[in-house]
Amino acid sequence: MPLFKTEAVILQSRKFSETSKILVAFTREKGRMSVLVKGGRKGTKGFAGGLETLNRVEMQIYHKGGRELQNFKSSDLVDGYAELRKDLKRTYTALSLAEVAVRGTETEDPHADLYRALVETLEVLDRTGENPWSVRWNGLLRFCRELGFGMALQECRQCGSKTGPVKGFDLERGGFLCGDCKLEKPHQMPMPGESWGVLRFLDTCRPEAAARMAVHADAGRRIEALFNAYFRYHLPGLRGFDSWKMLPQLYWE
Ligand SMILES: [Zn+2]
């Protein structure tokens, strides 16, 4: 059977039997992949190391096309992101992005840019505990672009005005609406003016610059609610992400 060697981030790990587990890995070359890892008999050898959720690894997989579950051969740890794991906010931020990669992509649907965005975001979360929400939104802006519903934030989506004030956000068109335009459709939600500048900056900056973007708690909650509504609107089958629910409380209470 062909051996597939790839770098990957472990998105999920669950027990399959007493001696085996199933990993959901996001591979750099082939996107999301489920991998069966067989351990030794109970109490003897155990599992290969380095396979915890959020770890970045070099992995060898016995790969057979058209199969939902692949077989694990071996792995080497590239980065375990030990610093971000010491901080609940950063850990949940990282898990919230992992959940998008698990549930927002298909099996073996390559997303090299999403992989790069995920790894770069994990690296910044590991380096600094500053403004993890801004780092998350920067990652999500890259994710939604890669998943085909990127936001367009440079001007009012209705009239094209490039100057504020901002009144709301149009989920369908993926951008802001200015004060001169009407907010009347169910997919249009009011948004505070501050959010426009924040998201415009985060949409184009590097993840390390995103960590320097401070946001007031009130605006933060509104932006967080916007991302929830936006991903639910564009990925309606998913009805939101479980790991996102506790973020506002964790960030701002
Ligand atoms: Zn307008």
Side-chain angles (χ1 to χ4, degrees):
M1 198 175 296
L3 201 57
F4 169 53
K5 195 176 177 205
T6 183
E7 197 186 285
V9 173
I10 312 292
L11 301 175
Q12 267 179 2
S13 170
R14 66 189 146 89
K15 199 172 158 181
F16 182 63
S17 72
E18 281 303 316
T19 57
S20 61
K21 60 180 174 179
I22 293 177
L23 304 177
V24 179
F26 201 71
T27 70
R28 189 174 52 196
E29 285 82 8
K30 292 183 194 282
R32 176 162 66 78
M33 201 178 269
S34 293
V35 184
L36 178 66
V37 185
K38 291 176 182 141
R41 278 194 311 280
K42 200 181 174 190
T44 57
K45 211 174 78 191
F47 293 109
L51 295 176
E52 284 76 38
T53 301
L54 297 179
N55 277 0
R56 181 179 173 194
V57 295
E58 281 281 354
M59 200 186 266
Q60 294 196 79
I61 298 165
Y62 296 111
H63 182 263
K64 196 172 169 186
R67 198 168 57 174
E68 193 64 28
L69 187 61
Q70 306 294 342
N71 282 310
F72 173 85
K73 179 172 187 284
S74 65
S75 69
D76 289 302
L77 185 65
V78 176
D79 200 334
Y81 306 112
E83 288 304 312
L84 84 79
R85 287 173 203 276
K86 294 175 186 167
D87 176 353
L88 211 54
K89 287 179 194 173
R90 287 191 266 170
T91 302
Y92 275 92
T93 301
L95 290 172
S96 76
L97 295 166
E99 193 184 352
V100 179
V102 173
R103 297 177 61 212
T105 66
E106 303 291 325
T107 298
E108 296 200 28
D109 181 15
H111 282 290
D113 286 344
L114 202 153
Y115 181 81
R116 198 174 311 121
L118 178 63
V119 166
E120 288 175 2
T121 306
L122 291 175
E123 281 170 356
V124 169
L125 288 171
D126 197 47
R127 270 205 302 276
T128 174
E130 278 185 284
N131 304 305
W133 40 86
S134 294
V135 178
R136 164 177 149 81
W137 300 331
N138 172 259
L140 289 180
L141 285 163
R142 295 173 73 183
F143 277 25
C144 59
R145 208 178 303 141
E146 176 64 17
L147 293 174
F149 52 95
M151 292 185 184
L153 302 171
Q154 295 310 312
E155 56 197 27
C156 170
R157 294 299 277 156
Q158 196 141 311
C159 72
S161 165
K162 288 180 194 296
T163 54
V166 154
K167 182 157 68 184
F169 193 94
D170 188 311
L171 297 174
E172 187 175 286
R173 296 175 179 178
F176 285 95
L177 297 171
C178 78
D180 293 334
C181 289
K182 276 195 180 133
L183 215 63
E184 52 193 1
K185 307 248 170 61
H187 58 261
Q188 296 171 335
M189 58 195 280
M191 281 300 287
E194 184 189 349
S195 56
W196 195 17
V198 171
L199 291 186
R200 262 206 300 204
F201 174 77
L202 293 176
D203 191 38
T204 52
C205 77
R206 301 286 310 151
E208 51 271 26
R212 295 194 290 272
M213 170 57 91
V215 180
H216 292 118
D218 283 349
R221 282 198 192 86
R222 300 284 294 276
I223 294 173
E224 191 53 42
L226 169 64
F227 275 105
N228 266 279
Y230 193 63
F231 273 74
R232 271 206 307 274
Y233 187 85
H234 289 277
L235 300 172
L238 299 183
R239 294 197 293 274
F241 297 106
D242 298 332
S243 62
W244 293 24
K245 287 176 189 153
M246 62 176 64
L247 290 175
Q249 195 181 356
L250 207 55
Y251 287 157
W252 297 296
E253 278 173 27

